Every structure is written in structure tokens, then in C-alpha cells.
Amino acid sequence: MGTIQHAKEIIKTLKSEGYEAYIVGGAVRDHLLGLKPVDFDITTNAKPNQVMALFDARATGFKYGTITVLKHPYTYEVTTYRTDGPSEDQRHPDYVYFGTSVEEDVMRRDFTINGLLMDEHLNIYDHVSGQEDIIKRSIKTIGDPYLRFSEDALRILRAIYFQGKLHFTIDTLTLEAMGKMGALIQQLSNERIINELIKIIKTNHQLQAFETMLQLSLHHHIVGIEKTIETIVEKKKSITTDTFFTVCFYYDLNSMQTWKFSNQQKHKYQQAAELSKSHIKLNATHLFEYGLEIVKLAARTQSYLYGINYAMNKLEYMYAHLPIKSHVDLKMKASEMMALSHRKAGAWIKEVQEDMVKKILTHELKNDRTVLFMYFRETYLKGMQNE
Ligand code: ATP
Ligand code: MG
């Protein structure tokens, strides 16, 4: 987040010290499209240490020439003109050269619509025919698409993302190269893929983006998502991020286990996927066993996949009014069961507790000491004494 006012101030400060500086990339594109830019990136010939000296700033990507300038409450990325060296791991260029001209700097950027410059008076400088492509609403790489995708395959997914975000078409040659070079996506780190995928899911024209992925068979190069993408395109129904990943776990648990999610996220998606599979209408017992968040996610997944619809506020109400929330809330203790029956601890206790909880959840029993003691005597004690 940021404001154009702050961006202008940063440019003016740099220029007053004799440096060149421009707003570059997404902010210029969005400005020309009449959209409100989210972040402002600035490109300059000042070196990182020179930028640091002029502003309240943090060296966030010093090696790559990026300094984060703080202008309360926002931050601005100021990057030194650079040209990128080759990238071994397709993650970061192995080294960057600081460039001397802004023309060089824009040439390393991905798409013509992202290669425009703007000064503090909002004048546009276009070395890549980006304005023409904005008018044509076209996504086109700067330079040869085969070369640009081989330098960094994430650009293939970025093209898909910009299509979803801007509702632009992809230039014919760029599109062809994306299809032919799709297998390079497999070399990207799972973290980069996840981040880009989440950005794609959150776009306004998600369906169009997924249709292109399918059309180019790109979904085959990201393990775990194949069937999900096919389902979304077939249903022509957009999906939210959490539901997307739950559906992925639903169709391809083994592949999704290899993804770089936190254990907590994996657990959430896996449990929700498992619960969705049952096709059973979600009820109080599920809420007790899985908790509200997972049941709601399973409900959204069931609704997406089989049109079983739930009123979320009803599930919330049901959860808030569960007659028991956890085994430890049971009004009869394990020690009391052992004392009454003169039996040692064992698996039998868990069985009794589970039986009681189940009956409490279906309102066959009340979670009340007297009621539970009586039930225990009637149902279990008699049988045990006969053993
Ligand atoms: P968004 O609206 O999503 O922020 P953006 O165009 O600002 O879109 P960023 O990911 O914020 O995209 O990147 C800022 C700029 O950096 C881009 O406009 C582009 O010029 C350049 N860029 C980012 N990623 C790449 C890449 N992988 N290859 C080449 N240039 C890139
Ligand atoms: Mg941006």
C-alpha cells in the first residue's frame, strides 16, 4: 500500500541530489488503466547505499539493489537500475549488474505493460511499447518470450495472473511460448508456485485465468492441482483460496502432502477434505470432532463440489450451542469410572467417554453428574459385575 504523493516526494528527493528516478511497473500500468495502484515501485540510478543515506529506510534486498523506504504508514521499494544475470535456481538471479541507464532496467522486466516509467509530473516514458499494449489490452513479454520464460518460468504464471487481474488477452506469440515452455514450471520452488497461485485465485477474472491454464495444459506441470483446475473450468464457478486447496487435497492427497504448507494448514485442508468426502450433512458431532473452522471449510467444499448448501450462521450457532465442546468437559471423570467399577485404566474408559459424548451431542443424555453416573451404572456397571 502507498500513495502517489509519497512516491512523488521520493522522486523529488532523489532528483534534488542529482539522481534519476521514476515510478515503474504495476503502479504506472494501473494509473494508465484508471485503477488505483496498490504499491509504488521506484527505479533510480542511485546505488543502494546512496538511497539508504537519503531516507528512513531498510535494506530489504540490498544484494539485488532494493531498499524499502518508510513513509508512515506505508513502504516503498526503491531499486537501483539493474540488469539480471542468469538464474541457476530460477529463484533469484545469481547476480545482478547495476545498470547505468533506465532503458536497460526496463528491458529486464517481464511484460511490456509492466515496463512503463512515470515521473513526478505524471509524464510517461515508454521504451517497450507498453502504452500500445495497454490500449490493445494485451499481455506481451519484453523481447523474445521463449528467452524470457527460460530465464524465469514464474513469468508464465505471472502472465496468467495478469490475465485474471486485468482481463487482458495474451499476445499470440507469448501464449504459444507459454504452452511450449510450460514444463519449466516444474523447476520452480513450491513456495513461488503457491504464492502465484494464490494471487491468481484472488483475481476478479479467475475463471478466465484457469481456462488459459487448461488450454495450455499448464495445470499438468503443477502436481496436485490437475483435477481441481479441470473441475473449476467445467463448473464455470469461481472458488475461494481455502476451498481451492481443500479441493486439491480432496482429489490428490498424496501430491498435496508434498506442498510447502505449514503443518497447521495441511492439517486443516486434509481434515476438511476428508470430511467433505463423506457426503453426509455436517452435524453437531462433526463440529465437536473437527471444530468450527474445519467444518465450515468442509461445508464450503461440499457446497462447491456437490451443491449441498449450508447457512454458515447456522453452523456457527450450532457450534456455540454444542451441549459439550471437549472430552474434558464431561461431567464424569475417568477416575470416578475406575473407582466405581474397581477396574484399572484402559481402552474401555475411552470407549465409555466416546459413547457418553455421542449421546450428549445427540441430546440423548445430559452432561450432568447425576445423569452420567446413573447412565454409567445402568449401562456399564451391571455388565462389568457379571464379567
Ligand atoms: P501487482 O499489481 O500484482 O503488484 P506488479 O506489476 O506491480 O503487479 P510486482 O510483482 O509487484 O508486479 O512486481 C513489480 C514489477 O517488477 C513488475 O511490474 C515488473 O516490472 C517487475 N517484475 C516482477 N517480477 C518479475 C519477474 N519475475 N520477471 C521480470 N520482471 C518482474
Ligand atoms: Mg506490485
Side-chain angles (χ1 to χ4, degrees):
M1 289 285 285
T3 67
I4 191 142
Q5 214 44 49
H6 281 163
K8 286 179 181 177
E9 281 171 27
I10 295 170
I11 293 177
K12 280 187 200 154
T13 306
L14 284 161
K15 282 190 164 178
S16 71
E17 295 294 319
Y19 302 114
E20 297 171 17
Y22 302 89
I23 301 173
V24 67
V28 184
R29 178 198 68 221
D30 290 349
H31 171 79
L32 289 175
L33 284 167
L35 305 170
K36 198 172 156 41
V38 216
D39 296 307
F40 290 84
D41 297 316
I42 287 150
T43 186
T44 179
N45 63 349
K47 297 287 183 309
N49 57 334
Q50 295 167 324
V51 177
M52 285 288 281
L54 289 175
F55 302 98
D56 181 6
R58 277 193 230 116
T60 42
F62 203 84
K63 203 173 140 202
Y64 301 103
T66 302
I67 300 295
T68 299
V69 170
L70 313 171
K71 291 237 175 224
H72 189 76
Y74 304 118
T75 57
Y76 299 82
E77 295 214 324
V78 179
T79 304
T80 305
Y81 295 166
R82 61 176 229 219
T83 55
D84 298 341
S87 168
E88 277 280 307
D89 66 349
Q90 298 241 336
R91 197 165 299 176
H92 289 300
D94 297 339
Y95 48 87
V96 302
Y97 299 104
F98 291 133
T100 46
S101 73
V102 75
E103 285 88 347
E104 262 181 309
D105 183 78
V106 292
M107 289 306 167
R108 74 166 170 92
R109 295 175 182 274
D110 47 7
F111 304 107
T112 61
I113 55 169
N114 291 344
L116 291 161
L117 302 162
M118 185 161 75
D119 69 13
E120 74 278 27
H121 308 295
L122 309 184
N123 296 316
I124 301 291
Y125 302 85
D126 183 0
H127 305 287
V128 294
S129 306
Q131 273 175 302
E132 195 184 310
D133 287 330
I134 286 191
I135 293 165
K136 285 203 306 213
R137 303 179 69 80
S138 172
I139 299 160
K140 186 176 169 187
T141 54
I142 296 175
D144 177 53
Y146 289 88
L147 176 68
R148 302 313 310 280
F149 294 140
S150 67
E151 286 167 359
D152 181 4
L154 192 75
R155 292 171 187 154
I156 299 173
L157 293 179
R158 280 177 60 87
I160 300 277
Y161 159 69
F162 288 116
Q163 180 170 50
K165 174 176 164 132
L166 303 167
H167 203 34
F168 279 21
T169 44
I170 302 175
D171 168 75
T172 318
L173 197 62
T174 299
L175 192 73
E176 187 189 289
M178 286 164 68
K180 295 228 170 94
M181 311 280 281
L184 287 180
I185 294 173
Q186 295 171 22
Q187 293 171 21
L188 294 169
S189 74
N190 190 239
E191 287 96 331
R192 285 186 96 198
I193 292 177
I194 293 178
N195 288 341
E196 213 54 39
L197 207 49
I198 292 174
K199 281 167 64 188
I200 294 171
I201 297 167
K202 289 189 171 156
T203 60
N204 285 338
H205 304 281
Q206 178 206 87
L207 281 179
Q208 200 197 345
F210 287 146
E211 273 165 22
T212 305
M213 279 186 91
L214 197 75
Q215 178 202 334
L216 300 177
S217 291
L218 297 178
H219 62 311
H220 295 310
H221 302 300
I222 306 176
V223 292
I225 70 162
E226 277 175 279
K227 184 88 173 73
T228 303
I229 300 287
E230 283 161 15
T231 305
I232 295 168
V233 172
E234 194 184 314
K235 286 186 180 289
K236 293 194 192 319
K237 195 163 82 174
S238 66
I239 194 165
T240 56
T241 312
D242 269 358
T243 311
F244 179 92
F245 289 117
T246 307
V247 174
C248 292
F249 272 78
Y250 178 103
Y251 284 129
D252 195 349
L253 177 66
N254 288 339
S255 300
M256 292 312 291
Q257 285 292 8
T258 66
W259 280 47
K260 294 270 170 359
F261 288 117
S262 68
N263 285 338
Q264 198 189 353
Q265 274 175 313
K266 263 189 206 168
H267 179 257
K268 180 174 85 175
Y269 296 140
Q270 190 184 333
Q271 298 254 292
E274 196 180 288
L275 205 48
S276 317
K277 271 208 170 138
S278 64
H279 282 250
I280 299 168
K281 188 109 183 155
L282 299 163
N283 59 36
T285 310
H286 299 123
L287 282 164
F288 173 85
E289 280 174 16
Y290 293 86
L292 182 61
E293 192 192 4
I294 287 169
V295 170
K296 277 168 79 177
L297 186 51
R300 284 198 293 272
T301 306
Q302 284 193 343
S303 151
Y304 190 87
L305 291 176
Y306 349 107
I308 303 178
N309 286 317
Y310 295 87
M312 289 298 157
N313 55 1
K314 228 170 141 183
L315 286 176
E316 280 160 16
Y317 181 88
M318 212 197 269
Y319 183 72
H321 293 85
L322 278 183
I324 184 164
K325 284 247 165 67
S326 150
H327 282 105
V328 295
D329 297 336
L330 209 56
K331 288 285 172 2
M332 183 171 188
K333 307 246 165 304
S335 55
E336 292 166 337
M337 294 178 192
M338 291 191 288
L340 271 180
S341 62
H342 307 291
R343 285 186 75 182
K344 284 199 202 115
W348 67 274
I349 294 198
K350 201 157 178 251
E351 276 167 34
V352 176
Q353 286 174 329
E354 271 169 15
D355 171 45
M356 284 180 171
V357 166
K358 206 166 140 202
K359 293 209 160 59
I360 292 169
L361 286 169
T362 51
H363 297 282
E364 287 167 65
L365 277 180
K366 234 181 127 184
N367 189 16
D368 171 281
R369 269 183 85 73
T370 322
V371 172
L372 294 182
F373 272 72
M374 194 134 82
Y375 177 74
F376 184 75
R377 274 194 204 98
E378 292 284 314
T379 317
Y380 292 100
L381 226 43
K382 280 184 187 162
M384 286 170 187
Q385 277 158 0
N386 295 338
E387 268 172 23

